[in-house]
Amino acid sequence: MASTLITVAPTGAETAKADCQALPTTLDELVETAKRCEAAGAAMIHIHIRDGEHKPTLDLGRLTETVAAVRENTALIVQLSTGGAVTDPYEDRLRVLDAVPDSCSLTMGTVNFGDDVFMNPWPFVTQLFQLTQEREVVPEFELFDLGHVAALHRLLDKYGLPYGGRVHCDLVMGVPGGMPGTADALVAAVNALPDAVTSWSATGIGRTSLTVALAALSKGGNLRVGMEDTLTLAKGHPVTHNAELVERAAALATLAQRPPMSPDEARDLLKVKK
């Protein structure tokens, strides 16, 4: 039976702890979240970390400690964000790979991000991609609009396949400044993906989360959910734990007769280094 890769993105870099006490920002909270989300059906965790004041950081010591702790307590694929916060310098974002994750995000271009700009110029994209090949880290190509899909064609044509030989993408939809979180936009993006793509997920930001999840499942895709992207289950019903979002994604996937895959199945899908 076909199955669904569910990725949980529990924290992000945008929401302040003071505005959302349920957001996991300490190492203990993140490990507890990882364990509960694995039990709920997640196979991969997309990690942003915070400092002692709950502010976004790319501190290498904290990243390394986080990777080790999640590995020790779960079987989840550990994916680190190389996006960080929109203000993080390129050299710090490249240094994320020094924490030796299984996977990392790799955004395929610059995008307006609300009132900010998420900078990913072509030289940085290509440097990061070649570094993932050298370090044997599986990249997840994050695509915020159709221009990023075109950039992925360009990258693969010039630099070849990523480590492991599989190409996995995540469509990030509904960000103000990126592609809308609609079924039409999802179909357009999926139809434009390179032939080399072997799997893809979709993420709906905020109120687009259910629309995107349902469209992705109907198109044969996988799901990314979590409090990085969604803070309410429905109007007036805030998320109290990331596991709630994973449980909902798992229920939708099961209803679609594509139940959640295990971490081992996900490792085989992505060809993550053992």
Side-chain angles (χ1 to χ4, degrees):
M1 178 185 291
S3 54
T4 301
L5 167 62
I6 297 177
T7 301
V8 61
T11 307
E14 285 74 48
T15 302
K17 180 76 164 182
D19 296 330
C20 182
Q21 288 298 314
L23 196 74
T25 55
T26 69
L27 182 57
D28 286 345
E29 289 171 343
L30 197 56
V31 169
E32 187 272 342
T33 294
K35 292 165 69 174
R36 277 189 60 182
C37 288
E38 180 182 21
M44 180 157 68
I45 184 167
H46 171 82
I47 295 175
H48 290 253
I49 63 168
R50 303 293 180 96
D51 63 17
E53 297 180 345
H54 308 288
K55 295 179 180 178
T57 180
L58 290 179
D59 178 80
L60 183 57
R62 285 180 180 266
L63 284 169
T64 303
E65 183 182 19
T66 301
V67 170
V70 174
R71 281 196 181 132
E72 182 179 347
N73 287 278
T74 76
L76 295 172
I77 296 172
V78 180
Q79 180 186 95
L80 293 181
S81 170
T82 62
V86 294
T87 54
D88 283 320
Y90 301 129
E91 58 268 25
D92 289 353
R93 294 169 60 188
L94 292 171
R95 202 174 296 122
V96 165
L97 296 193
D98 290 348
V100 198
D102 301 308
S103 174
C104 71
S105 60
L106 200 165
T107 302
M108 285 306 303
T110 296
V111 63
N112 287 327
F113 202 93
D115 295 335
D116 299 306
V117 179
F118 181 24
M119 297 292 294
N120 294 282
W122 184 247
F124 171 73
V125 169
T126 58
Q127 185 179 3
L128 177 55
F129 180 57
Q130 291 175 90
L131 193 58
T132 65
Q133 291 173 313
E134 175 188 321
R135 300 288 184 86
E136 300 185 339
V137 173
V138 172
E140 177 182 86
F141 300 103
E142 293 198 344
L143 311 174
F144 287 77
D145 63 29
L146 287 178
H148 293 182
V149 178
L152 181 58
H153 281 265
R154 180 185 176 195
L155 184 78
L156 297 176
D157 287 345
K158 184 170 174 102
Y159 295 99
L161 294 174
Y163 170 73
R166 302 292 176 87
V167 181
H168 178 71
C169 307
D170 182 47
L171 307 176
V172 186
M173 311 183 70
V175 171
M179 61 181 157
T182 63
D184 287 345
L186 182 140
V187 170
V190 172
N191 287 345
L193 290 173
D195 291 339
V197 170
T198 50
S199 61
W200 58 273
S201 298
T203 304
I205 304 299
R207 66 185 64 183
T208 73
S209 59
L210 273 176
T211 298
V212 169
L214 292 168
L217 287 169
S218 68
K219 190 68 175 166
N222 302 286
L223 304 177
R224 187 184 103 170
V225 297
M227 295 178 71
E228 172 173 349
D229 308 310
T230 306
L231 294 174
T232 58
L233 288 167
K235 187 174 182 180
H237 294 276
V239 176
T240 61
H241 196 285
N242 278 278
E244 295 172 329
L245 294 167
V246 175
E247 288 164 358
R248 183 169 71 175
L252 292 174
T254 300
L255 184 64
Q257 299 184 24
R258 291 178 47 221
M261 66 177 63
S262 69
D264 283 345
E265 291 172 320
R267 287 176 185 278
D268 186 59
L269 174 74
L270 304 179
K271 297 303 179 191
V272 169
K273 187 176 182 180
K274 303 208 172 176

